[in-house]
Amino acid sequence: QVQLVESGGGLVQAGGSLRLSCAASGSIFSINVMGWYRQAPGRQREFVAAITSGSGTNYADSVKGRFTISRVTAKNTVYLQMNSLKPEDTAVYYCNARGSGYNDWGQGTQVTVSS
């Protein structure tokens, strides 16, 4: 299993930027995919972006061209750079790590975009 700690959320005006970080510890060498999901009030948790152990990336259509996921292996950290933020990006953002036999989540970090 993997332990995940997110940071970097906050309040930003529409059009602004934020960078989220997710630090992983534990069985990090067994991670196949790390990703970001988000959940807005009254809505289901949804996929945002993911990066594989081979550095392949995938994005939700709603964030393509605005968000970038990256990783620094030496720091066991994954980042989500969020640009051109919109009010509809407001949500709790969760880091996720998947490996053989596990699917672990962080505690979440709040992102609020004001109009």
Side-chain angles (χ1 to χ4, degrees):
Q1 290 187 332
V2 175
Q3 294 75 48
L4 304 168
V5 178
E6 302 103 330
S7 61
L11 173 64
V12 64
Q13 288 188 333
S17 299
L18 282 174
R19 189 178 78 158
L20 305 182
S21 301
C22 174
S25 61
S27 302
I28 57 175
F29 296 107
S30 67
I31 296 175
N32 293 327
V33 181
M34 290 190 72
W36 290 94
Y37 291 71
R38 65 188 182 187
Q39 187 167 17
R43 301 188 66 177
Q44 290 187 334
R45 191 173 297 187
E46 63 177 8
F47 170 76
V48 176
I51 186 165
T52 69
S53 56
S55 297
T57 58
N58 190 30
Y59 297 92
D61 287 343
S62 59
V63 306
K64 279 181 182 177
R66 300 189 299 123
F67 291 10
T68 302
I69 189 169
S70 62
R71 62 192 292 170
V72 177
T73 303
K75 294 184 177 181
N76 302 323
T77 300
V78 170
Y79 301 95
L80 185 68
Q81 178 67 43
M82 305 185 295
N83 298 328
S84 302
L85 282 161
K86 305 175 182 180
E88 51 264 44
D89 294 318
T90 295
V92 178
Y93 284 69
Y94 296 91
C95 183
N96 172 262
R98 284 181 283 146
S100 178
Y102 66 85
N103 182 25
D104 292 328
W105 296 90
Q107 81 286 354
T109 185
Q110 177 70 46
V111 172
T112 303
V113 184
S114 63
S115 57

